[in-house]
Amino acid sequence: MSKKFQMFLALLLALSMVLGACGSPASVEPVAEVEATEAVMEEVVTEEPAVETGPDVLALFTDLAASSPADKGTAPSNLLR
């Protein structure tokens, strides 16, 4: 592709993104409300889900750093000569 054509496509892409961000949002039609009947609505009682936490990354990294030998460098010694 020629340089002029690439610049045209880049400009077209950038302008379309800017114009898309500046456009007005789509209008939302109001939803018809459902009238409550005479039946009694019961609330469903649910327990809150337990929040699961991931592993402690800092502790894992600290253990990894402590278990690595201290005499190891970043590169093999034969490459540093």
Side-chain angles (χ1 to χ4, degrees):
M1 289 195 289
S2 69
K3 184 80 170 177
K4 288 182 182 180
F5 186 66
Q6 289 178 348
M7 290 301 295
F8 173 73
L9 285 179
L11 183 64
L12 181 67
L13 178 67
L15 287 176
S16 67
M17 293 175 78
V18 168
L19 290 175
C22 295
S24 62
S27 62
V28 178
E29 296 181 15
V31 179
E33 295 182 19
V34 178
E35 295 182 19
T37 59
E38 292 181 18
V40 177
M41 302 291 256
E42 295 182 17
E43 294 184 19
V44 177
V45 178
T46 58
E47 295 181 14
E48 294 182 14
V51 177
E52 295 182 21
T53 58
D56 186 13
V57 177
L58 182 60
L60 291 173
F61 182 75
T62 305
D63 291 341
L64 177 68
S67 67
S68 66
D71 62 339
K72 294 285 185 174
T74 58
S77 61
N78 61 354
L79 294 177
L80 297 176
R81 294 181 192 178

